[in-house]
Amino acid sequence: MSDNQDKEETLASFQIITGIEDVGEAFSHLESSNWDLVEALSRVMPHDDAPLANPIHTPEPPAPDPVAVAVASAPSNSNGFRSFNFDELPGPSQGARLFPTSQLLAQLTSSINLDPPRQNNNQNILTFNIHFNQQLYKICMQPNATIEQLKRKIFDVTDVPQCRQTLRGWPPSRASDAQIPETQLGNLDLPPVSELILVDITDDGFMDTEQDEVTQRLDKMYKLHIVEEGGTEARRLTLNFPGRTTIQELKTNVYYITSIPVRHQEWSGWPSGCDNDTNLAQSGIEQTHDFVMRNIADRTSNNSNLLANTEIVTLDSESSADEFEDATDFNNSEYIFSDSPPVQPLNRHLIPNNTNDETSGSSQFVDNYKQRFGDPHPEFYVGSLENALRLACHKPAKERKLLAIYLHHGESILTNVFCDHLMKDEAIIQTFKENFVLYGWDMTYESNKDMFLSSLTACINSNASLTARNIKLDKLPALMLVGKSRLMGRQTCEVLSVIHGNIGLGDLQSRLIETTVMYEEQLQGEIREENERAARDQVKAEQDMAYEETLQADMAKEAAKRQKEAAQAAERKRIESEQAEEDARRESIRLVATQSLPLEPAEQEANISKIRVRKPTGDFLERRFFTRDTLQDLLNFVTANGFLIDEYKVISSWPRRDLTSIDAGQTLETLKLYPQETVILEERF
């Protein structure tokens, strides 16, 4: 074996053990050690008192754990390695292993066979960047290693038991195979470097399958920190998207903000196996995730600047952008996902072009706003601007609210930040709910803009329309706050304030509150007048009610009086009728009695009886009768003078007897009523 071939094999062995991929760096270590492999390893490996553990990623590219590399390489004998077993090393066999450097190097070097004529180097090694608890663990495995062996290595460096490990970031087409412990890593169509996220399911809860996990993550919001590299310094973006957002939609939204076409965007930080149709929930990223995005159109001219800028980009996870450089293959053309121009998503414009109806346009605005920006969101009024204005302003002063008109524009770079941050703030949402009627309109299309400006002129005034027309694109989206106020003795609606989209959360809250307070103070005079007017109206209403009650009482009395008089008249009429009937009856009886009387004898005739009848008044009636005349003739005489026998009794003085109760056919002679007699009339009871 030639000297050059020995050096090549020694160099390859050194790179396998140390994980140093830079040939120049590995060559310099061996050269300084006079190509003594053990001495070169002792220079780069920890000392006897240092634990062998995967370091947290630092600004300088770290070397993988030599133990992990060696062990991962051990199962395959075809590459010049003999079987390697931790049990052969001194010290504990579980948990964190601490080995003296000299013994470890002896064990490692003895396991390397430098004799095979053909060394495979590290061409087939699979590298896994395991993200866990804001740290990065780098593990190298052979393709014929299994999922179970990978999880054992993860346990060695993270202390998360295999039964509690859930790995995210597998290729979507192989996600089900990745759940089987016996699956070999080489069968999962993995790139040389894979980005995986480790989740301890004791923290996130138990999940039966990755599909169940994806389903639960679809409606969750993802906060993405994107570092845009280019120019002289890096630019940082923070965007929020629901889990069902696809990578294509994400990249298109980034295009709207950065003007970097989708075909020119190169991303670092995605797990392996993602494509344009993969959504955020399926990708396996955490709900807060960091990315680096570059403009490949500037790569040729600005390559040196990009490399320099890499050192100054700092992420929230306290990791440098270099950690994304490890996944070099991820940025190859097959992972850029698309070579076609950016496709605008359907919900970029919240109202379709040439909408001719305000109500339908308002409804589509609200539906598309909810779909694009998700929950939480303020409640928009659905309907025409005229109805929204009537609901807010055309009411009594104490019930009146401000009308907040949200003017949206899909081409503005401020739209995503304004809607995803400011409009999602709970305090802002509550302020809108309590003090405003919120109405939204999309000004992106000129046809919709012109129609809405015409509506502003018709419903409010031309100044409102002119104010909305003069808002520049770089100030949109904007809020126009409209209120009803008294101007020169009459009430009219006016634009009280305009809030542009280039405003912070605190300033927006302050502006809304200030406008609300100012408007409420302005309404106090109207409210006092309305209260005084209401009090006067109340007094008048009470007076009118009292008058009405009195009037009704008088009318009731009058009606009762008339009713009583009518009843009395009817009664009198009845009595008079009865009296007339009675009088007629009495008169008939009297006439019959009169006609029945015998002729009165002369005073000189014999056998006569002179009868005196004393009336109840004390007066007397006198008449002469023949003694042969009957008692009935006497009674008829009494009746003929108006004293009916059924009303009066005729009493003889001696002996006292009621003559009306005895036989009226007897003669006066028989009754001893001659030559003269006085009888008394007594009224019957």
Side-chain angles (χ1 to χ4, degrees):
M1 184 179 298
S2 67
D3 184 65
N4 288 337
Q5 186 174 3
D6 289 341
K7 288 185 177 182
E8 291 177 358
E9 293 174 351
T10 302
L11 176 63
S13 300
F14 181 80
Q15 287 184 281
I16 292 174
I17 295 174
T18 61
I20 298 177
E21 297 179 356
D22 190 332
V23 176
E25 181 182 354
F27 190 91
S28 64
H29 284 298
L30 290 170
E31 193 71 22
S32 62
S33 304
N34 197 23
W35 292 91
D36 185 5
L37 179 59
V38 173
E39 183 179 349
L41 290 174
S42 65
R43 290 174 178 267
V44 298
M45 292 183 63
H47 296 291
D48 291 348
D49 56 349
L52 294 178
N54 275 346
I56 300 175
H57 195 281
T58 62
E60 291 295 327
D65 187 349
V67 178
V69 176
V71 176
S73 305
S76 173
N77 290 326
S78 61
N79 293 327
F81 287 77
R82 72 172 179 82
S83 178
F84 186 88
N85 191 345
F86 269 118
D87 294 336
E88 298 176 14
L89 298 176
S93 59
Q94 298 295 333
R97 297 174 172 83
L98 304 177
F99 306 120
T101 303
S102 58
Q103 297 182 26
L104 179 60
L105 291 176
Q107 176 65 21
L108 291 173
T109 54
S110 66
S111 65
I112 301 176
N113 182 5
L114 300 179
D115 292 337
R118 185 167 55 91
Q119 188 67 273
N120 198 25
N121 294 338
N122 58 352
Q123 295 179 2
N124 294 327
I125 296 295
L126 295 177
T127 301
F128 296 90
N129 289 331
I130 308 299
H131 299 264
F132 179 66
N133 283 350
Q134 303 296 321
Q135 297 183 6
L136 178 68
Y137 300 91
K138 189 171 183 178
I139 296 178
C140 299
M141 302 292 291
Q142 287 287 354
N144 58 355
T146 64
I147 295 291
E148 184 177 9
Q149 291 172 330
L150 172 61
K151 288 190 174 184
R152 282 204 294 265
K153 296 296 178 280
I154 293 174
F155 167 68
D156 291 339
V157 296
T158 65
D159 291 330
V160 178
Q162 300 177 46
C163 61
R164 287 167 29 192
Q165 295 178 19
T166 294
L167 295 174
R168 302 174 182 168
W170 299 111
S173 60
R174 296 292 186 179
S176 57
D177 295 335
Q179 308 305 314
I180 303 174
E182 295 79 13
T183 300
Q184 292 188 349
L185 301 176
N187 296 332
L188 296 179
D189 299 334
L190 299 172
V193 178
S194 298
E195 304 286 337
L196 298 180
I197 298 173
L198 172 63
V199 177
D200 188 344
I201 60 176
T202 58
D203 298 327
D204 280 10
F206 181 74
M207 303 172 196
D208 289 336
T209 65
E210 188 162 314
Q211 185 61 37
D212 295 332
E213 178 185 354
V214 169
T215 301
Q216 295 182 16
R217 286 153 49 93
L218 283 175
D219 295 323
K220 293 183 177 180
M221 294 301 297
Y222 286 75
K223 178 178 287 188
L224 308 182
H225 301 294
I226 303 171
V227 175
E228 176 195 349
E229 291 189 348
T232 57
E233 61 181 25
R235 176 186 179 189
R236 183 186 181 90
L237 304 174
T238 300
L239 304 176
N240 291 328
F241 292 97
R244 58 182 73 253
T245 303
T246 64
I247 294 178
Q248 176 68 36
E249 293 173 342
L250 168 62
K251 295 165 75 176
T252 304
N253 278 280
V254 171
Y255 158 65
Y256 297 153
I257 299 175
T258 63
S259 299
I260 300 176
V262 174
R263 64 181 181 275
H264 292 160
Q265 296 176 17
E266 183 180 68
W267 292 70
S268 296
W270 289 106
S272 60
C274 298
D275 57 29
N276 276 337
D277 295 327
T278 304
N279 59 42
L280 300 182
Q282 294 171 333
S283 68
I285 64 173
E286 297 187 53
Q287 285 185 253
T288 300
H289 198 74
D290 298 313
F291 293 104
V292 174
M293 190 270 293
R294 305 173 184 85
N295 186 352
I296 61 176
D298 300 333
R299 172 174 291 175
T300 303
S301 60
N302 299 326
N303 187 50
S304 59
N305 292 334
L306 289 174
L307 292 175
N309 289 337
T310 302
E311 296 298 327
I312 66 173
V313 177
T314 303
L315 304 180
D316 287 345
S317 61
E318 299 180 359
S319 299
S320 166
D322 290 330
E323 76 182 51
F324 295 102
E325 300 284 359
D326 293 339
T328 306
D329 290 339
F330 182 76
N331 291 320
N332 291 340
S333 59
E334 60 180 311
Y335 290 102
I336 297 177
F337 302 153
S338 175
D339 292 328
S340 59
V343 179
Q344 295 181 354
L346 294 178
N347 60 354
R348 180 185 179 189
H349 305 110
L350 303 186
I351 300 179
N353 195 12
N354 294 319
T355 297
N356 54 13
D357 179 65
E358 274 190 16
T359 301
S360 63
S362 172
S363 177
Q364 293 179 73
F365 174 90
V366 173
D367 292 341
N368 290 331
Y369 185 97
K370 293 179 180 178
Q371 180 181 0
R372 177 170 177 179
F373 300 108
D375 291 326
H377 58 81
E379 290 299 324
F380 290 92
Y381 175 82
V382 178
S384 65
L385 176 62
E386 181 181 5
N387 290 337
L389 192 64
R390 182 180 297 112
L391 179 64
C393 300
H394 298 319
K395 284 189 171 184
K398 59 185 176 183
E399 299 178 12
R400 207 174 297 166
K401 290 186 175 182
L402 287 167
L403 174 64
I405 303 177
Y406 168 71
L407 301 178
H408 181 87
H409 202 294
E411 302 293 341
S412 174
I413 63 174
L414 301 174
T415 296
N416 281 331
V417 175
F418 192 85
C419 295
D420 276 330
H421 294 272
L422 277 65
M423 297 290 273
K424 287 182 178 292
D425 183 76
E426 290 296 336
I428 298 294
I429 293 175
Q430 191 65 23
T431 300
F432 279 130
K433 182 178 181 181
E434 294 177 354
N435 303 296
F436 295 86
V437 173
L438 182 60
Y439 188 81
W441 193 261
D442 188 356
M443 307 280 280
T444 308
Y445 288 119
E446 286 297 323
S447 61
N448 296 336
K449 177 180 178 180
D450 292 340
M451 183 183 75
F452 189 69
L453 293 178
S454 299
S455 182
L456 283 175
T457 301
C459 296
I460 304 177
N461 53 44
S462 58
N463 289 335
S465 177
L466 186 62
T467 300
R469 184 185 297 276
N470 290 337
I471 300 176
K472 297 181 180 179
L473 177 60
D474 59 356
K475 297 295 182 65
L476 290 172
L479 286 167
M480 289 178 53
L481 307 183
V482 178
K484 187 176 183 181
S485 59
R486 179 173 297 173
L487 183 63
M488 298 182 65
R490 69 186 189 90
Q491 290 186 337
T492 181
C493 292
E494 295 289 341
V495 176
L496 304 180
S497 178
V498 178
I499 302 176
H500 296 134
N502 56 345
I503 192 173
L505 178 59
D507 291 338
L508 174 60
Q509 180 74 1
S510 298
R511 290 282 299 277
L512 292 175
I513 293 176
E514 288 172 3
T515 305
T516 301
V517 172
M518 177 193 70
Y519 187 60
E520 289 178 349
E521 291 176 352
Q522 179 180 322
L523 290 179
Q524 290 305 313
E526 294 185 43
I527 293 175
R528 279 195 305 272
E529 292 180 3
E530 288 185 354
N531 290 337
E532 292 172 358
R533 188 183 308 114
R536 291 194 300 270
D537 292 343
Q538 179 67 23
V539 172
K540 185 176 181 300
E542 292 175 354
Q543 291 174 345
D544 291 344
M545 183 179 296
Y547 172 77
E548 185 66 23
E549 290 176 353
T550 303
L551 181 61
Q552 292 295 331
D554 292 343
M555 292 175 62
K557 289 179 180 180
E558 187 66 24
K561 180 180 179 181
R562 288 195 300 268
Q563 184 177 3
K564 182 178 180 181
E565 290 177 350
Q568 290 175 347
E571 181 65 17
R572 285 195 302 269
K573 186 175 180 180
R574 182 188 66 79
I575 293 174
E576 289 173 356
S577 176
E578 291 179 355
Q579 186 65 40
E581 291 179 359
E582 180 65 19
D583 292 344
R585 182 182 69 82
R586 291 169 62 85
E587 183 62 21
S588 174
I589 295 174
R590 191 186 67 78
L591 289 175
V592 172
T594 301
Q595 294 173 1
S596 301
L597 283 175
L599 293 174
E600 182 178 10
E603 187 175 355
Q604 297 82 9
E605 291 189 23
N607 299 321
I608 65 173
S609 175
K610 188 176 182 180
I611 303 298
R612 296 180 69 192
V613 180
R614 190 174 69 181
K615 297 186 294 184
T617 59
D619 298 334
F620 289 91
L621 298 174
E622 290 186 1
R623 193 180 191 282
R624 294 182 295 275
F625 295 91
F626 288 104
T627 56
R628 63 176 181 271
D629 292 334
T630 63
L631 177 59
Q632 184 62 52
D633 294 334
L634 174 60
L635 297 179
N636 287 338
F637 170 73
V638 172
T639 300
N641 284 278
F643 299 96
L644 302 185
I645 299 305
D646 55 355
E647 297 177 359
Y648 292 91
K649 297 185 290 184
V650 180
I651 306 298
S652 64
S653 58
W654 183 263
R656 182 180 175 82
R657 52 184 175 176
D658 182 5
L659 298 178
T660 60
S661 62
I662 61 177
D663 184 12
Q666 299 182 61
T667 64
L668 298 177
E669 184 180 3
T670 304
L671 295 173
K672 307 293 187 185
L673 295 177
Y674 70 94
Q676 62 180 14
E677 185 66 31
T678 298
V679 296
I680 301 171
L681 290 178
E682 289 185 1
E683 191 174 0
R684 295 180 184 274
F685 297 100

